[in-house]
Amino acid sequence: MINKSNQPIGIFDSGVGGTSIWKEIQQLLPNEDTIYLADSLHAPYGQKSKEEIVHLSIKNTEFLINKQCKLIIVACNTATTNAIKYLRSNYSVPFIGIEPAIKPASLQTKTRTIGILATKGTLNSELFEKTSSLIDNDIKIIERIGEGLVELIEQGRVDSKEMTSLLESYLHPMLKENIDCLVLGCTHYPYLINAIKKITKNSINIIDSGEAVARQTKRILNQKKLLNNIKHNVSNIFYTNKDITVLKNILDGVNYSLIEKLDF
Ligand code: DGL
C-alpha cells in the first residue's frame, strides 16, 4: 500500500501572494514536502467572472493532483470564495481554503467598525456575503476593493510610490470612519503590511488568516492520518507560468528546492 503521508501538499494561487500562506505552512509543518503553483499569467483573478475563476481553479487543481498532492490549499481568497464548493464536490482530495477573517475582527473591534480590503471577486461572492451576514448587526464593515494592488505586487512593485498612493486612497477613508481593525482579504496583501503600518501609524490591528490556514491544514492532515512526521530533506518546489524573478524575489531567504517556469 502507498504511504500517502509522504506525498506533498499542493498550494495554488493566482500568483505569488499565496507564498504568504506557504510560509505559514512551512513554519508549522516543517516535515511536509510542498508544491506551489503561481498562476501569475492569469492574475488578477479578482476581476474575472465566477465561471473563469472556477475554470482556472480546476486547471490548477488537476496540475497538483497529477503531481500526487495529498491535500490542496487554495491559497487565494478569490478562488476559495468562488470555486472551493465546486472543487470539493468534484475531487476526492481534501481542500483547505482561505476566507477574509471578518469574524475574528468582529470579536476584536472596540470601535465597532472594521475595514476589509479584498478583491472584487471575493467581496461579490456568495460565500463572503454569507460570512458577513453572520457578523453582529451593530458592527460596521467598510469594504474596499484593493484595485491595482495585486497587479503591482505581481510586477514586483511592492515598495513603489504607486503602491503607497493606492493604499493611502483606500485606507484614509477607512481611518476617517474610525476603523480599529483591517482585514486583509487577499493572500497578496500580507506583503503590504509594512506599508499599511506606516500609513495607519500603527494605530489599527491588521488581521489576516494565514496562520489559521496553517493550523487548519495540520488539523485536517492529522484527522486523515496524512501528517508527515518523518524528518527528511524536505522538498519545496515552486512553479510559475510568468516572470520567475518576481517569485524569486518574494522567496528571498527561503530554502527552496526548485523554482521553475512552466508553460501552463
Ligand atoms: N491572492 C489572491 C486572493 O487571495 C489574489 C486574487 C487576484 O488575483 O486578484 O484573492
Side-chain angles (χ1 to χ4, degrees), residues 11-101:
I11 304 173
F12 78 80
D13 178 36
S14 62
V16 298
T19 54
S20 62
I21 304 297
W22 177 87
K23 288 175 184 170
E24 300 287 352
I25 294 291
Q26 207 249 349
Q27 271 210 359
L28 191 70
L29 298 162
N31 295 322
E32 297 293 342
D33 294 334
T34 60
I35 299 180
Y36 182 94
L37 176 63
D39 188 19
S40 294
L41 189 65
H42 301 107
Y45 280 15
Q47 305 290 336
K48 298 188 193 300
S49 68
K50 183 181 168 92
E51 289 67 34
E52 282 175 291
I53 298 167
V54 171
H55 167 76
L56 292 167
S57 301
I58 291 173
K59 235 174 103 191
N60 299 336
T61 295
E62 294 196 346
F63 175 90
L64 294 170
I65 288 177
N66 284 335
K67 297 275 179 200
Q68 313 299 325
C69 292
K70 60 181 176 185
L71 172 143
I72 294 177
I73 302 175
V74 183
C76 174
N77 291 262
T78 314
T80 300
T81 50
N82 286 276
I84 204 160
K85 199 168 160 197
Y86 178 92
L87 298 176
R88 285 192 173 130
S89 41
N90 286 278
Y91 299 92
S92 58
V93 66
F95 288 92
I96 307 288
I98 179 161
E99 274 186 76

Side-chain angles (χ1 to χ4, degrees), residues 12-234:
F12 78 80
D13 178 36
S14 62
V16 298
T19 54
S20 62
I21 304 297
W22 177 87
K23 288 175 184 170
E24 300 287 352
I25 294 291
Q26 207 249 349
Q27 271 210 359
L28 191 70
L29 298 162
N31 295 322
E32 297 293 342
D33 294 334
T34 60
I35 299 180
Y36 182 94
L37 176 63
D39 188 19
S40 294
L41 189 65
H42 301 107
Y45 280 15
Q47 305 290 336
K48 298 188 193 300
S49 68
K50 183 181 168 92
E51 289 67 34
E52 282 175 291
I53 298 167
V54 171
H55 167 76
L56 292 167
S57 301
I58 291 173
K59 235 174 103 191
N60 299 336
T61 295
E62 294 196 346
F63 175 90
L64 294 170
I65 288 177
N66 284 335
K67 297 275 179 200
Q68 313 299 325
C69 292
K70 60 181 176 185
L71 172 143
I72 294 177
I73 302 175
V74 183
C76 174
N77 291 262
T78 314
T80 300
T81 50
N82 286 276
I84 204 160
K85 199 168 160 197
Y86 178 92
L87 298 176
R88 285 192 173 130
S89 41
N90 286 278
Y91 299 92
S92 58
V93 66
F95 288 92
I96 307 288
I98 179 161
E99 274 186 76
I102 47 173
K103 176 86 194 184
S106 74
L107 300 175
Q108 279 185 40
T109 178
K110 301 261 184 305
T111 61
R112 314 303 280 164
T113 314
I114 61 183
I116 163 156
L117 206 52
T119 68
K120 186 175 164 196
T122 295
L123 294 174
N124 288 344
S125 68
E126 260 172 56
L127 193 58
F128 179 74
E129 201 188 311
K130 202 172 144 202
T131 317
S132 40
S133 72
L134 302 174
I135 302 301
D136 281 358
N137 277 339
D138 74 316
I139 293 181
K140 191 167 172 191
I141 304 175
I142 302 175
E143 298 174 12
R144 181 75 219 215
I145 297 171
E147 227 166 290
L149 301 178
V150 167
E151 286 89 330
L152 285 176
I153 296 168
E154 287 294 320
Q155 290 161 18
R157 292 160 70 204
V158 168
D159 296 316
S160 60
K161 270 194 190 144
E162 293 94 320
M163 182 64 87
T164 310
S165 51
L166 272 185
L167 281 173
E168 280 173 350
S169 71
Y170 302 151
L171 298 172
H172 282 158
M174 290 189 186
L175 291 171
K176 262 197 192 137
E177 296 260 11
N178 207 19
I179 62 158
D180 61 352
C181 292
L182 175 72
V183 177
L184 303 184
C186 170
T187 55
H188 281 68
Y189 300 167
Y191 290 108
L192 305 177
I193 286 179
N194 285 341
I196 294 173
K197 281 186 173 165
K198 226 167 150 182
I199 294 168
T200 59
K201 302 193 176 66
N202 269 324
S203 63
I204 55 167
N205 290 330
I206 301 170
I207 301 171
D208 93 291
S209 331
E211 235 184 282
V213 169
R215 284 198 304 271
Q216 175 68 354
T217 304
K218 189 173 179 181
R219 215 173 292 132
I220 297 297
L221 287 176
N222 218 344
Q223 204 182 81
K224 299 199 177 285
K225 308 216 175 332
L226 288 173
L227 259 185
N228 192 346
N229 291 312
I230 301 163
K231 276 211 167 122
H232 62 290
N233 265 340
V234 173

